[in-house]
Amino acid sequence: MLNSTSYLDFLSKILADQVRQVTIANNSIEYTVTTANGLEVCQTTPDGDTEALIQLLQKQGVNFKVENSHPTSPNPWATVVLGLAFPALALASAWLLQKQGDGDSNSFGAYGVGKSKAKVYTQGQTGITFKDVAGVTEAKQELQEVVDFLKNDQKYRNLGAKIPQGVLLVGPPGTGKTLLAKAVAGEAGVPFFSISGSEFVEVFVGVGAARVRDLFAKAKRQAPCIIFIDELDAIGKARSSNPQIGGGNDEREQTLNQLLVEMDGFGSNSGVILIGATNRPEVLDAALRRPGRFDRQVTVDRPDKLGRVAILNVHVQGVKIGADVQLEAVATQTAGFSGADLANLVNEAALLAARYDRQAVEMTDFNAAFERVVAGLENRARVLNPIEKKTVAYHEVGHALVGALTPGGGKVSKISIVPRGMGALGYTLQLPEEDRFLLDSTEIAGQIATLLGGRVAEELVFGRISTGAADDIQKATDLAEKAITQYGMNQVLGPVAFDRTTSQFLGGSNRRQISDQVAQQIDQQVKASIDQAYQVAKDILISNRDLLESITQQLLDQEVLEGDELKNLLAQAQAVYA
Ligand code: ADP
Ligand code: MG
Ligand code: ZN
C-alpha cells in the first residue's frame, strides 16, 4: 500500500501541512500524509539536498528521522498504519512539536505552515515613545497624525474620513525608522506587529504568501494596530522586467502579490495601519506606491548638528558622563553619523572608560571612540573630511546666492551640508512660490546660472574645482540645449524645433534630420549660453564675496540654514544687474 510520489509532490505536501511523519533513508523517503480518507503512507525518491529538507521539516514542525544505510528493524510506523490508533498519536506529536517550535500557536490544529513569525507586542508594550526618538522632528510631526488616527479611530470613522493605511519610512540605515514605527505604536498604545521583508523570502514557493495572509488575519483581529514591515524592498522590488527562466523570483512575486491583495482587502477603516521601511525606495514596485497602499512617504534622514546633540542626549541617559564632556563638540565632529552610529559611539566611549577604570566617561573617551567608530564607517564613506565639508558649504551657498538674485528658480528655502542618504553631499532647496506652467527665457537663463553657482563659488574661493558639480553641469547643459532645440529660444537659430518630442509622458526626444552646419551651430549656442550663465553667476558671487564668506561660515557651524534666518541672510545680497 505504498504510494509512490514525486519529490516535488512531497515538498508541496509538507508546505501544505499534510505530512505527518518522515523517515529519510539513503535512497528512499517514506512519509505519512493526511488525506480525506485518513492517513496514507507514501514513498518518494530523494532529489536534492537532504540538509535543506531537514531544515524545512524542522521549520514546519514535522516529525522526522534519518536512517543510516544499515537497515533497521521493521519500520514501526508502517505497522501503526496497519490499523491502530495512529491518527491521534500523530496529531499529538505534531502538536508537541508545534508547541516548542513556533511558540506562537494559539489554536489547536494550527501546524504552523506559513504562520507569521510576527512578534506581537501588546498594548503599549513597545515601551517606546517619541521621547526616545530625537532629532527627526519633521518625521515625528508627520507620524503624529498617524498616532491620532490610531488613538481616535472612532472619531475618524464617525466622520466617514478615510484613514491612510500605508506609510513608508524612507532613509538610510540606522536613522531610527524601526524606532519611529515602534514609537508610533507606543504613543497610540496599540499592538505592534513587526516583520522583516527578508524573513518573507523563503526558498519554498508559497510560504511567504501564506505568512502575509496570516499576519494580516492576526492583525485584523487586534485592530487598531500597526503592522511594521522592515526591509520592504526585500519583497517589494519591482517585479521582474527580465523574467528569469525557471521563475527564480516566483516566491518574492507571490509574496508581493499577496501583500497587495491584503492591503487592498482591508479597506481604509479597518484600523490597521501599515508602516514600511526601506533605504532603497527607488527599487520598490510601483504598485506598492499607489493610492491606498504605501501612499504616504516620510523621509527619515541623517540628523543635523542639533539633531545629533539631541540624540546624544537620549543615549547618555543612564551613562555616567564626566564634567568635561561637551556633547555639542561631539556633535560637531560627527557630521554624517546616523542615530545608530551615535548610539554606538556613546557605548564605545563608555566601554573605553570602563577599561581605564574611570568613574565617569570623559571627553578623551569620546575622542578615542570617535576614531574607532569612524574607522569602522570608512567604507560607508559618508563622513566628510574638513576640506570636503568646506568645499560643499561654499558650493551650496554659491547656488543659494545666485538663486536668490536670478529669476526662475523660486525662493531659496533651505541649505544643508548634512550628507544625504542617496548620495548628495549637500543641497540647496529652492521652492517655487506659486505653480508655474510657463518659463520665460530669462528664467531659464537664471536657472542655468543658479545651477552653475556651486561650481563658480568653488573656483572663486579655492582657485580649483572639484568633481562635486558634475550633476549640476549635466542639468545646466540639458536645460541650455532644450531651450535651443525644443523651445526655440535662441537668437541665432530662431524658433525652430530641432528635437521631435516622442511622448510627453514617456519623455525622450530625437533629433530631426539636421545638417552638419546646424549641428555645429547648436553646439556653439549651447556652449555660449552656458558661458554666459557662468559669467552671470561669477559676477554675482564676486560682488557678494563677503556675504558668501559669512553665510558659509554660518552654514559650516550650523550645517543647516533655513526659514527666516536664511531669508534675512540672503536679503543682504546685492543685485548686480539693476
Ligand atoms: P533603522 O530602522 O532606520 O535602520 P533603527 O531604528 O533600527 O534604525 O535604529 C537603531 C538604533 O539607533 C536605535 O535602536 C537607537 O538606539 C538608535 N537611533 C537611531 N536613530 C535614533 C534617533 N533618531 N534617536 C535616538 N536613537 C536613535
Ligand atoms: Mg530598522
Ligand atoms: Zn551643486
Side-chain angles (χ1 to χ4, degrees):
M1 247 187 53
L2 231 63
N3 247 332
S4 208
T5 64
S6 76
Y7 192 65
L8 205 65
D9 193 34
F10 167 57
L11 289 181
S12 51
K13 280 181 180 143
I14 296 175
L15 289 166
D17 194 31
Q18 292 164 352
V19 175
R20 290 289 161 266
Q21 303 271 16
V22 180
T23 306
I24 305 167
N26 267 355
N27 302 313
S28 163
I29 294 174
E30 243 176 71
Y31 61 100
T32 54
V33 287
T34 42
T35 67
N37 307 322
L39 285 169
E40 201 175 350
V41 185
C42 302
Q43 182 273 335
T44 186
T45 313
D47 176 18
D49 190 353
T50 313
E51 281 292 288
L53 174 63
I54 289 173
Q55 273 175 16
L56 174 70
L57 292 170
Q58 279 169 341
K59 205 169 77 216
Q60 299 291 118
V62 179
N63 215 345
F64 70 92
K65 67 179 176 188
V66 182
E67 283 182 348
N68 297 327
S69 48
H70 52 87
T72 47
S73 50
N75 188 339
W77 298 343
T79 52
V80 176
V81 173
L82 294 178
L84 304 175
F86 184 62
L89 187 74
L91 278 176
S93 64
W95 169 238
L96 279 176
L97 275 168
Q98 179 57 31
K99 268 305 215 197
Q100 36 176 268
D102 202 348
D104 192 25
S105 165
N106 41 18
S107 59
F108 187 82
Y111 289 99
V113 174
K115 276 251 136 192
S116 91
K117 291 193 217 149
K119 273 184 248 151
V120 187
Y121 302 75
T122 38
Q123 196 115 357
Q125 260 190 14
T126 66
I128 288 169
T129 63
F130 281 152
K131 273 207 298 291
D132 301 303
V133 195
V136 279
T137 331
E138 282 161 43
K140 277 200 273 187
Q141 269 165 9
E142 294 201 45
L143 290 170
Q144 183 61 49
E145 204 182 3
V146 176
V147 171
D148 199 50
F149 290 142
L150 288 163
K151 250 184 176 162
N152 306 312
D153 76 319
Q154 202 55 45
K155 177 176 95 186
Y156 290 90
R157 230 180 280 204
N158 289 344
L159 283 169
K162 282 218 172 70
I163 295 175
Q165 50 183 30
V167 179
L168 187 61
L169 303 179
V170 173
T175 46
K177 297 181 294 297
T178 307
L179 200 62
L180 270 168
K182 285 185 182 165
V184 170
E187 290 279 331
V190 301
F192 182 73
F193 294 82
S194 150
I195 192 150
S196 167
S198 58
E199 284 171 44
F200 277 121
V201 181
E202 305 279 344
V203 196
F204 296 98
V205 175
V207 176
R211 287 238 166 92
V212 172
R213 219 175 298 128
D214 181 66
L215 174 63
F216 277 76
K218 254 195 221 159
K220 267 185 242 176
R221 286 199 292 272
Q222 298 215 32
C225 69
I226 286 178
I227 299 179
F228 177 61
I229 305 184
D230 210 351
E231 300 176 64
L232 184 63
D233 46 278
I235 25 174
K237 246 183 248 159
R239 275 161 290 189
S240 45
S241 44
N242 59 334
Q244 262 173 290
I245 302 143
N249 286 326
D250 268 8
E251 169 60 8
R252 219 194 50 228
E253 288 189 14
Q254 281 195 17
T255 309
L256 173 58
N257 286 337
Q258 190 64 37
L259 181 65
L260 296 173
V261 167
E262 295 289 346
M263 286 192 81
D264 293 345
F266 66 34
S268 65
N269 287 343
S270 65
V272 180
I273 290 188
L274 242 83
I275 301 184
T278 180
N279 50 12
R280 304 167 63 206
E282 70 285 352
V283 306
L284 289 184
D285 196 290
L288 275 170
R289 315 289 290 272
R290 291 221 185 98
R293 294 173 181 165
F294 286 102
D295 51 3
R296 286 205 174 190
Q297 178 166 329
V298 174
T299 307
V300 189
D301 233 318
R302 288 171 208 275
D304 60 13
K305 187 168 150 193
L306 280 181
R308 292 197 299 275
V309 173
I311 294 173
L312 285 167
N313 268 311
V314 167
H315 288 283
V316 296
Q317 299 303 319
V319 176
K320 275 217 184 85
I321 295 292
D324 73 327
V325 173
Q326 285 177 303
L327 291 182
E328 201 175 315
V330 178
T332 306
Q333 219 176 10
T334 47
F337 273 42
S338 68
D341 297 334
L342 292 168
N344 185 24
L345 177 74
V346 172
N347 192 50
E348 285 286 334
L351 290 176
L352 286 171
R355 182 189 300 170
Y356 295 113
D357 282 330
R358 288 197 237 282
Q359 297 300 308
V361 186
E362 293 171 8
M363 199 62 187
T364 50
D365 299 318
F366 272 99
N367 290 336
F370 174 75
E371 275 164 36
R372 260 198 193 188
V373 173
V374 169
L377 292 179
E378 231 151 48
N379 294 336
R380 287 177 18 211
R382 266 288 114 74
V383 180
L384 299 181
N385 71 36
I387 296 171
E388 288 169 329
K389 202 169 159 182
K390 249 173 117 173
T391 308
V392 173
Y394 279 107
H395 177 109
E396 296 305 331
V397 176
H399 283 309
L401 277 171
V402 178
L405 290 176
T406 52
K411 198 179 106 210
V412 178
S413 60
K414 183 171 180 174
I415 319 177
S416 161
I417 52 167
V418 181
R420 297 283 121 172
M422 317 307 164
L425 300 176
Y427 68 88
T428 302
L429 198 63
Q430 263 186 311
L431 290 182
E433 282 155 291
E434 53 189 352
D435 279 353
R436 292 298 306 269
F437 302 101
L438 294 172
L439 282 178
D440 66 34
S441 53
T442 61
E443 288 171 325
I444 289 189
Q447 285 189 358
I448 298 175
T450 304
L451 281 165
L452 296 173
R455 160 58 67 89
V456 172
E458 288 181 46
E459 191 196 329
L460 272 184
V461 175
F462 300 104
R464 57 171 173 72
I465 50 188
S466 77
T467 54
D471 190 51
D472 297 334
I473 292 173
Q474 188 73 48
K475 283 190 185 134
T477 313
D478 285 350
L479 198 54
E481 183 179 348
K482 257 195 193 168
I484 295 166
T485 59
Q486 289 183 17
Y487 310 142
M489 284 176 170
N490 187 267
Q491 299 267 328
V492 177
L493 290 154
V496 178
F498 297 99
D499 280 347
R500 193 184 277 125
T501 45
T502 43
S503 158
Q504 191 186 348
F505 301 107
L506 297 176
S509 58
N510 54 28
R511 190 131 302 174
R512 265 172 219 283
Q513 292 284 333
I514 50 174
S515 67
D516 289 349
Q517 244 171 331
V518 172
Q520 219 171 25
Q521 267 180 326
I522 291 176
D523 292 342
Q524 278 163 3
Q525 292 303 311
V526 169
K527 171 91 170 63
S529 36
I530 294 283
D531 286 347
Q532 202 178 355
Y534 199 88
Q535 195 55 49
V536 169
K538 205 164 179 173
D539 291 345
I540 288 175
L541 291 183
I542 287 176
S543 0
N544 289 282
R545 187 69 177 77
D546 293 345
L547 192 58
L548 172 65
E549 203 61 46
S550 61
I551 298 181
T552 304
Q553 287 314 322
Q554 198 162 336
L555 180 62
L556 279 167
D557 190 45
Q558 289 170 231
E559 295 182 4
V560 176
L561 290 173
E562 58 192 328
D564 284 343
E565 189 178 24
L566 178 61
K567 194 170 139 196
N568 294 335
L569 286 171
L570 292 176
Q572 298 169 34
Q574 303 286 327
V576 181
Y577 314 100

